[in-house]
């Protein structure tokens, strides 16, 4: 069966398209579109690269995108050419139990570092960009590669393998998180808690926490006696639990959100000192140096806050864009989506200037130079794409 899978996938012609069998192409910059219920993709200039013809939104990862057509899965490259056709199938079972199965449906949804997980006869392994089986299906669960390692599950235990398929950290752990800041957050039941290990499987912080999260900006949330604290990459508690407030998020741009009951939301610095007093209604992470914020206020006759208008604060808690919007999103690529009541959504820059006039039913964050905006209903239906100058480069016909 493995040889049959290899032959069918290679016959789809991946190797000839990408140049070499094992190489993954550079990540393409394409954006999904939908026309008449069919899905395609455009480039940054708004040119249709993949004609709308597929049954689900197209998302590229590792150089390829999974597509669906008539209930079968396939893969396309950045030019829109099918490298694994949805029509390519293999027969599973025999006699009355025989069924034609899409080859691509045996594969995961995303390539990563030139490999994608696939399943066969209840086990999982990895296929490369040529469709050749690189790591035989011998695991009970296989996850994407990151920095040369991948998490796999054997039985009920998790570990890490390298690209040869050999364990570099044995499958001996009950729960694991991907590596972050050079450490992986790992649970071992018989050691009664979470700890952190390096890429060689050596404990850097011994298991001791009731619950813990990965490190972000060299800080991790961990449950200790008295509540949640922040620890550094050596396991030292740098922000102890407090009776006055509760921590609730990872650090972002050197600030972490906390909540003080009855007062509001504020922000801590990396040392755990209060950088911004808790005076906001809702706590939103910093992004590109600014965070959306709205001040706490009184209740109206219906029991709702009467002054919930959004603005943006800097890392010292000063409003650099005064509260004036009925809704607001995070900044990305210098712009943030905002709602002006009675007009619609537009985009504002970091100086508070409306760069795109409010007019849309909904907006998304920019990535790679474009942002999708919705024309009639947020999140679905007719849409368009804007560049960072606010110009529409593509609109639903």
């Amino acid at each position: 069966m493995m040889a049959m899978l290899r032959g069918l996938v290679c016959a789809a012609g991946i190797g000839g398209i990408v140049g070499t069998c094992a190489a993954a192409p550079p990540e393409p910059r394409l954006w999904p579109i939908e026309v008449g219920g069919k899905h395609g993709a455009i480039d940054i200039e708004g040119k249709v690269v993949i004609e709308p013809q597929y049954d689900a939104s197209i998302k590229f990862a590792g150089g390829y995108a999974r597509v669906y057509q008539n209930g079968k899965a396939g893969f396309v490259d950045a030019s829109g050419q099918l490298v694994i056709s949805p029509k390519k199938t293999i027969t599973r079972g025999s006699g009355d139990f025989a069924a034609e199965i899409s080859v691509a449906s045996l594969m995961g949804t995303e390539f990563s570092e030139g490999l994608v997980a696939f399943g066969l006869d209840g086990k999982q392994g990895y296929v490369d960009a040529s469709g050749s089986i690189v790591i035989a299906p011998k695991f009970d669960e296989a996850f994407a590669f990151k920095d040369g390692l991948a998490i796999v599950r054997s039985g009920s235990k998790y570990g890490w393998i390298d690209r040869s398929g050999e364990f570099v950290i044995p499958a001996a752990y009950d729960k694991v998180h991907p590596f972050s800041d050079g450490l992986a957050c790992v649970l071992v039941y018989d050691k009664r808690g979470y700890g952190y290990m390096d890429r060689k499987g050596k404990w850097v912080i011994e298991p001791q926490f009731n619950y813990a999260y990965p490190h972000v900006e060299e800080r991790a949330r961990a449950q200790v006696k008295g509540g949640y604290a922040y620890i550094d990459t050596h396991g030292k508690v740098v922000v102890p639990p407090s009776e006055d407030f509760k921590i609730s998020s990872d650090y972002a741009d050197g600030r972490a959100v906390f909540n003080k009951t009855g007062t509001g939301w504020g922000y801590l610095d990396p040392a755990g000192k209060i950088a911004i007093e808790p005076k906001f209604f809702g706590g939103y992470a910093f992004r590109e140096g600014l965070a959306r914020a709205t001040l706490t206020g009184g209740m109206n006759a219906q029991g709702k806050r009467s002054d919930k208008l959004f603005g943006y604060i800097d890392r010292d808690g000063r409003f650099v864009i005064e509260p004036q919007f009925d809704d607001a999103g995070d900044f990305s690529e210098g712009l943030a989506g905002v709602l002006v009541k009675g007009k619609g959504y537009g985009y504002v820059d970091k100086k508070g200037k409306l760069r795109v006039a409010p007019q849309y039913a909904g907006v998304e964050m920019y990535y790679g130079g474009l942002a999708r905006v919705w024309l009639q209903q947020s999140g679905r239906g007719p849409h368009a794409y804007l560049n960072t100058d606010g110009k529409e480069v593509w609109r639903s016909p």
Side-chain angles (χ1 to χ4, degrees):
M1 186 65 72
M2 288 171 58
M4 182 181 295
L5 177 65
R6 181 184 294 110
L8 286 170
V9 176
C10 285
I14 296 179
I17 291 172
V18 301
T20 60
C21 281
E27 194 63 36
R29 290 286 188 180
L30 297 179
W31 290 259
I33 59 172
E34 180 182 359
V35 178
K38 296 297 182 180
H39 298 264
I42 60 171
D43 64 16
I44 194 168
E45 296 178 351
K47 177 184 176 182
V48 176
V49 178
I50 302 176
E51 291 291 339
Q53 58 188 294
Y54 298 110
D55 299 331
S57 184
I58 297 174
K59 178 184 178 182
F60 276 86
Y64 300 101
R66 194 171 189 174
V67 295
Y68 294 88
Q69 200 168 50
N70 299 323
K72 297 182 182 299
F75 280 88
V76 296
D77 66 10
S79 71
Q81 185 170 348
L82 280 167
V83 293
I84 301 177
S85 171
K87 296 180 180 180
K88 188 65 66 176
T89 62
I90 61 174
T91 302
R92 303 301 302 278
S94 60
D96 294 339
F97 300 99
E100 291 295 313
I101 305 297
S102 167
V103 169
S105 70
L106 300 176
M107 302 164 64
T109 58
E110 298 181 353
F111 276 86
S112 176
E113 300 184 2
L115 299 178
V116 61
F118 80 101
L120 199 64
D121 298 329
K123 295 294 184 179
Q124 295 188 1
Y126 294 87
V127 175
D128 70 9
S130 73
S132 298
I133 295 173
V134 175
I135 301 174
K138 56 186 176 181
F139 309 108
D140 292 296
E141 199 170 6
F143 299 86
F145 271 86
K146 181 181 179 181
D147 297 329
L149 299 180
I151 295 170
V152 297
R153 177 173 63 84
S154 290
S156 63
K157 303 293 185 179
Y158 295 86
W160 280 264
I161 61 170
D162 60 18
R163 291 177 61 88
S164 72
E166 297 299 319
F167 279 101
V168 294
I169 301 176
Y173 307 102
D174 297 289
K175 187 175 181 180
V176 300
H177 292 273
F179 280 92
S180 176
D181 282 348
L183 299 175
C185 183
V186 174
L187 170 65
V188 185
Y189 284 134
D190 60 11
K191 290 182 179 291
R192 297 185 180 181
Y194 285 83
Y196 296 82
M197 62 175 49
D198 63 20
R199 288 171 58 87
K200 295 182 179 180
K202 179 182 178 181
W203 289 111
V204 176
I205 304 171
E206 291 288 336
Q208 58 190 282
F209 304 107
N210 293 331
Y211 202 87
Y213 295 87
H215 282 80
V216 178
E217 296 188 4
E218 299 185 349
R219 297 288 184 266
R221 288 175 287 159
Q223 190 177 27
V224 299
K225 185 177 180 180
Y228 274 94
Y230 285 104
I231 60 172
D232 64 17
T233 54
H234 301 290
K236 178 183 177 182
V237 174
V238 290
V239 183
S242 172
E243 295 182 357
D244 295 328
F245 60 80
K246 294 181 179 180
I247 62 177
S248 60
S249 73
D250 295 327
Y251 274 85
D253 280 358
R255 296 290 181 264
V257 177
F258 73 90
N259 176 251
K260 186 172 183 178
T261 303
T263 302
W265 298 79
Y267 297 82
L268 303 173
D269 69 14
K273 296 180 180 179
I274 295 177
I276 302 173
E277 293 294 330
K279 58 183 178 180
F280 301 102
F281 178 65
Y284 302 94
F286 275 83
R287 188 179 176 95
E288 297 187 357
L290 298 178
R292 52 187 161 137
T294 179
L295 291 168
T296 57
M299 299 291 184
N300 62 19
Q302 288 74 40
K304 297 181 179 179
R305 296 191 181 274
S306 59
D307 61 347
K308 191 180 175 184
L309 292 177
F310 286 89
Y312 290 87
I313 58 173
D314 62 17
R315 284 161 39 91
D316 295 320
R318 296 186 295 260
F319 273 104
V320 295
I321 302 175
E322 290 297 321
Q324 58 191 286
F325 305 111
D326 291 275
D327 192 14
D330 294 331
F331 272 90
S332 62
E333 301 183 15
L335 297 172
V338 294
L339 172 64
V340 177
K341 190 174 182 179
K343 294 183 178 180
Y345 283 89
Y347 288 92
V348 67
D349 66 18
K350 292 184 179 181
K351 294 182 179 180
K353 180 181 178 181
L354 281 167
R355 293 278 296 275
V356 177
Q359 59 188 289
Y360 298 107
V363 296
E364 296 180 353
M365 295 174 66
Y366 275 87
Y367 73 95
L370 295 183
R372 181 163 51 181
V373 297
W374 301 93
L375 306 179
Q376 296 176 8
Q377 183 177 351
S378 183
R380 61 182 301 177
H383 53 284
Y385 277 93
L386 309 181
N387 62 22
T388 52
D389 292 328
K391 178 184 177 182
E392 286 189 8
V393 299
W394 183 89
R395 174 181 276 249
S396 295

